[in-house]
Amino acid sequence: MKKIAEYLEWPIVPIKAELPFFLAVIFCSYLPHFINEIESPQPLFWELRWMAICVANPVAISYLLTCVVWISKSKLLKTILLAMVFFLMFVNLFLLFNFYTLLSPWILLLIVETNANESSEFLSQYAFTAGTFISLSFTLLLIVSYVQFEKNKVTLKRKWQRTVLFLCLMGVLPVGTYMLYKTIQLPLLDTQLAIEEWYEQRGSYANNNTITNIIYSSHYLNVSGADNQKAIQSSLKAANQSAQCLEQDSLNVVLVIGESFSKHHASVYGYRLNTTPTLCNEQKKGNLFVFHDAVAPYNMTTFSVKNMFSVNCLSKGEPWYSKPMFPVIFKKSGYHVTIWDNQKPSENVNSYDYSVGSYLYAPQIVPVAYNETNSKTSQYDLPFVQSLKLTNHQQAKHNLVIIHLMGQHSDAAQRFPNQNKYNVFKVADISANVTEAQKQSIADYDNATLYNDLVIQTVMNMYKTKSTVLLYLSDHGEEVYDYRNHLGRTHERKNTPLSLKYQYQIPFVVWCSDKYIEKHPDKAISLRQATEKPFLSSDISHMLFSLGAIKTPFYMPDKDILNEQYQCGKRMVQQKTDYDRTIREE
């Protein structure tokens, strides 16, 4: 029995010898993330479950470093590691309390692009803020605690203490080891897409600590930097090439990009609850054209949006960064270009903000792509679109307006105000065979969809007296307990036909004002004839060129769904085949 007890204690020997170090690494690497998480609007149960999983990785990393320190017996190595984790903790707390964000690729990019004078001004501005004082106090408190802990030589003398530590370690270490495995995978990834997929495939759990996060942020910045530079250079080159608007009359082209919109929860596509009354009414009036076979190439916002903005052709193997973004070409042709983005990078900068924001809002891009951008975002989409004032561009003859919404993103209950007039659908209205809590989630999603319809109506009303064509589509779809016990999106290595149906199929509608139809009856006919054609959202720029009467060498008639030469890509055909097979099986 004594030998068994010795064997059981063997895994905790390094911790016994270096207990202060072990605890310091855990606290320093997880504390900022813990503070950040408890401020989220998620239910307590979900927060506790998230924290329990996320703390496993810091424990595994700390255990590994503790073993290295114990085996090496090097005080210098130990001091260097401690200095690093304390410094990184302070940086994260400083960012969190001053800017409501943690270390991210975006923050590292800002650091890299900041010169000495800007750094000096920044430090002098934020050196004596309350956030800096709190960050410094937290850090000094932990350093003093560590020194006292180390000085008093606290050890696990009692057997029950060692038993509890062993049981806790064995309970957490398997999960932490898996997260450590995910962390080790990260430096081996060499494309943005691979890193995005890593993050979605539980990499976000592994990433929720300071040590992994700095690895993730620096590696992402390194990998994506080259692609972003290629994309920027493509757009700058296009800004010097010829482009012409052939439309003689005034024209407004409005592109509204939604978020996480499942067409299977839209009444305009046959959903049983009236979640899109505006779209249905406009369709009955003959002003709205509903496309029934549109899909997104990715179920991730970053790559869907990048490929929407780029004039590349995925079916021809062209990556998004190889071609310019379409707003540059519109602006070059004489359009007044406005982008109104409710997901524009602001305070809490995440991987989406960096990946898309560093492309859409690169300092070199903004002057050649836009005449006007928003400076503020809003919690809800309705006040956000109402902040779009037409006075700045109503004098322009030709206008391109791009509006990017929050839509039904993530927690749908947070996408609309908690007021009776917006809480239309209740649990009793949901017929799905799921739990009461899941029915509430579906009702929240349907209410968010109804609110989104109101947002679209508001934009339509802004332009209804003008010659306007408005396109609305979502970046990707969403599962809402439609056929399995899942809410959101998944990232399986092989998509099933049903996951393609719900996560990749998207709503796509085109609305024309009466004045536009009167001036362009041929376009109205083309739109009506195209509604049953398969469509890939990454080809939207070529349809925009057609509707905007843009003459440019970047226009591909075979990717314009309104053109007689139109052909859908192989990926679109495969998704349609999988979907048709699903329908037959059902």
Side-chain angles (χ1 to χ4, degrees):
M1 290 295 292
K2 188 176 180 181
K3 284 189 174 182
I4 294 175
E6 289 176 356
Y7 282 126
L8 289 177
E9 286 197 7
W10 179 80
I12 65 171
V13 170
I15 300 177
K16 286 170 58 182
E18 299 289 348
L19 184 59
F21 177 86
F22 176 72
L23 295 176
V25 174
I26 293 174
F27 270 95
C28 289
S29 59
Y30 188 59
L31 180 63
H33 294 267
F34 174 80
I35 295 172
N36 189 46
E37 285 299 327
I38 60 176
E39 295 180 352
S40 70
Q42 296 290 346
L44 180 61
F45 169 75
W46 172 254
E47 284 190 8
L48 292 175
R49 189 176 72 169
W50 172 276
M51 292 173 188
I53 295 173
C54 291
V55 78
N57 198 34
V59 170
I61 292 173
S62 181
Y63 183 70
L64 178 63
L65 294 178
T66 302
C67 289
V68 171
V69 168
W70 176 67
I71 292 170
S72 69
K73 308 297 183 185
S74 171
K75 290 185 177 180
L76 177 61
L77 176 62
K78 182 177 175 181
T79 303
I80 292 173
L81 291 174
L82 283 170
M84 287 175 57
V85 295
F86 277 119
F87 174 74
L88 288 174
M89 182 191 72
F90 170 74
V91 170
N92 261 317
L93 290 175
F94 172 82
L95 292 170
L96 185 61
F97 290 128
N98 280 298
F99 306 104
Y100 311 100
T101 186
L102 297 170
L103 271 172
S104 68
W106 182 272
I107 296 298
L108 289 185
L109 180 65
L110 292 177
I111 293 172
V112 169
E113 293 181 346
T114 301
N115 58 42
N117 289 335
E118 291 171 333
S119 298
S120 177
E121 291 173 3
F122 174 83
L123 291 175
S124 62
Q125 184 177 358
Y126 288 97
F128 301 103
T129 64
T132 303
F133 176 76
I134 294 171
S135 307
L136 191 59
S137 298
F138 262 114
T139 306
L140 291 176
L141 179 63
L142 277 176
I143 291 174
V144 170
S145 299
Y146 170 79
V147 171
Q148 288 298 317
F149 208 4
E150 189 78 77
K151 185 178 179 180
N152 294 329
K153 301 292 181 183
V154 178
T155 57
L156 303 171
K157 295 179 180 180
R158 300 182 182 277
K159 185 176 181 179
W160 69 266
Q161 294 174 330
R162 297 193 295 273
T163 302
V164 170
L165 176 60
F166 174 81
L167 293 175
C168 290
L169 189 65
M170 291 302 103
V172 172
L173 210 54
V175 178
T177 302
Y178 173 73
M179 295 302 166
L180 196 56
Y181 162 72
K182 297 292 291 184
T183 302
I184 294 170
Q185 281 183 329
L186 183 56
L188 304 178
L189 306 176
D190 58 0
T191 67
Q192 289 186 64
L193 180 58
I195 296 174
E196 291 279 351
E197 289 177 340
W198 172 89
Y199 187 85
E200 298 291 346
Q201 293 167 352
R202 299 183 181 175
S204 57
Y205 290 100
N207 198 40
N208 216 1
N209 70 87
T210 300
I211 296 173
T212 305
N213 193 34
I214 192 67
I215 297 172
Y216 165 80
S217 299
S218 57
H219 185 59
Y220 199 160
L221 183 62
N222 181 54
V223 169
S224 63
D227 289 350
N228 280 351
Q229 284 304 311
K230 290 176 185 175
I232 291 168
Q233 291 306 313
S234 295
S235 289
L236 293 178
K237 185 177 179 181
N240 294 318
Q241 293 181 251
S242 64
Q244 182 182 1
C245 177
L246 303 179
E247 176 64 51
Q248 297 301 314
D249 293 327
S250 61
L251 176 62
N252 296 299
V253 179
V254 182
L255 174 64
V256 183
I257 302 174
E259 172 77 42
S260 304
F261 192 152
S262 170
K263 63 180 285 186
H264 305 285
H265 284 254
S267 53
V268 76
Y269 283 100
Y271 187 56
R272 56 180 291 273
L273 299 180
N274 190 18
T275 55
T276 56
T278 297
L279 299 184
C280 290
N281 289 337
E282 292 298 320
Q283 184 183 30
K284 289 177 183 177
K285 288 164 53 180
N287 292 80
L288 188 82
F289 304 93
V290 180
F291 288 74
H292 294 277
D293 202 1
V295 300
Y298 303 97
N299 64 349
M300 293 182 289
T301 301
T302 50
F303 285 93
S304 287
V305 170
K306 283 177 178 178
N307 282 281
M308 279 189 209
F309 272 79
S310 174
V311 302
N312 68 312
C313 178
L314 281 175
S315 59
K316 295 179 181 178
E318 296 175 347
W320 64 272
Y321 53 78
S322 67
K323 292 295 176 69
M325 61 169 68
F326 71 83
V328 172
I329 298 167
F330 268 84
K331 190 170 187 291
K332 180 65 177 178
S333 71
Y335 269 76
H336 183 285
V337 181
T338 301
I339 184 166
W340 221 244
D341 185 356
N342 206 16
Q343 296 191 50
K344 187 178 180 182
S346 52
E347 292 180 340
N348 201 346
V349 182
N350 54 34
S351 60
Y352 163 80
D353 292 326
Y354 166 72
S355 183
V356 176
S358 59
Y359 169 52
L360 297 186
Y361 303 107
Q364 308 98 306
I365 287 292
V366 173
V368 299
Y370 319 116
N371 297 96
E372 186 179 357
T373 65
N374 60 296
S375 58
K376 296 181 180 180
T377 58
S378 177
Q379 182 179 1
Y380 304 115
D381 284 331
L382 185 56
F384 176 72
V385 298
Q386 289 171 335
S387 70
L388 175 61
K389 305 298 183 183
L390 304 189
T391 52
N392 290 342
H393 63 269
Q394 65 183 176
Q395 301 302 323
K397 187 175 182 180
H398 301 133
N399 292 288
L400 170 68
V401 181
I402 305 165
I403 302 173
H404 188 195
L405 305 175
M406 286 297 292
Q408 294 93 303
H409 180 58
S410 190
D411 185 3
Q414 303 299 318
R415 301 280 77 86
F416 59 93
N418 187 19
Q419 300 173 17
N420 289 335
K421 63 179 178 180
Y422 299 122
N423 277 299
V424 176
F425 304 113
K426 310 295 182 183
V427 169
D429 298 314
I430 307 303
S431 60
N433 185 23
V434 294
T435 66
E436 291 296 299
Q438 290 170 341
K439 285 185 177 182
Q440 183 60 59
S441 294
I442 297 172
D444 290 337
Y445 187 87
D446 291 347
N447 283 320
T449 304
L450 181 62
Y451 184 77
N452 187 75
D453 185 76
L454 176 61
V455 172
I456 299 171
Q457 180 188 52
T458 302
V459 179
M460 289 177 178
N461 288 340
M462 290 179 180
Y463 294 94
K464 67 180 180 181
T465 61
K466 305 174 185 298
S467 179
T468 303
V469 57
L470 181 151
L471 297 82
Y472 175 90
L473 76 170
S474 181
D475 56 351
H476 50 71
E478 196 88 346
E479 287 188 27
V480 194
Y481 303 113
D482 298 288
Y483 70 98
R484 60 178 172 177
N485 185 24
H486 183 72
L487 176 66
R489 284 157 288 130
T490 56
H491 299 274
E492 301 103 329
R493 294 193 178 278
K494 186 176 181 180
N495 289 301
T496 65
L498 283 172
S499 69
L500 285 172
K501 174 181 176 181
Y502 290 101
Q503 297 183 37
Y504 289 81
Q505 285 193 338
I506 57 172
F508 176 38
V509 299
V510 178
W511 174 82
C512 301
S513 67
D514 291 335
K515 187 172 289 188
Y516 180 85
I517 294 175
E518 180 185 337
K519 289 184 177 182
H520 303 279
D522 56 326
K523 288 297 183 184
I525 293 172
S526 296
L527 285 164
R528 188 173 292 107
Q529 292 174 343
T531 55
E532 298 300 326
K533 294 180 182 178
F535 179 74
L536 193 64
S537 64
S538 57
D539 293 332
I540 192 72
S541 59
H542 304 289
M543 185 179 183
L544 289 168
F545 289 148
S546 176
L547 293 170
I550 301 293
K551 183 180 180 182
T552 171
F554 294 103
Y555 171 64
M556 300 181 194
D558 60 329
K559 293 302 157 191
D560 172 16
I561 197 171
L562 303 180
N563 194 290
E564 294 179 354
Q565 301 178 41
Y566 175 72
Q567 294 180 352
C568 60
K570 292 181 180 179
R571 184 168 187 168
M572 178 72 210
V573 172
Q574 182 59 51
Q575 290 195 353
K576 180 171 173 56
T577 301
D578 289 338
Y579 172 64
D580 289 344
R581 186 187 307 122
T582 303
I583 297 301
R584 289 196 299 272
E585 290 173 355
E586 288 177 343

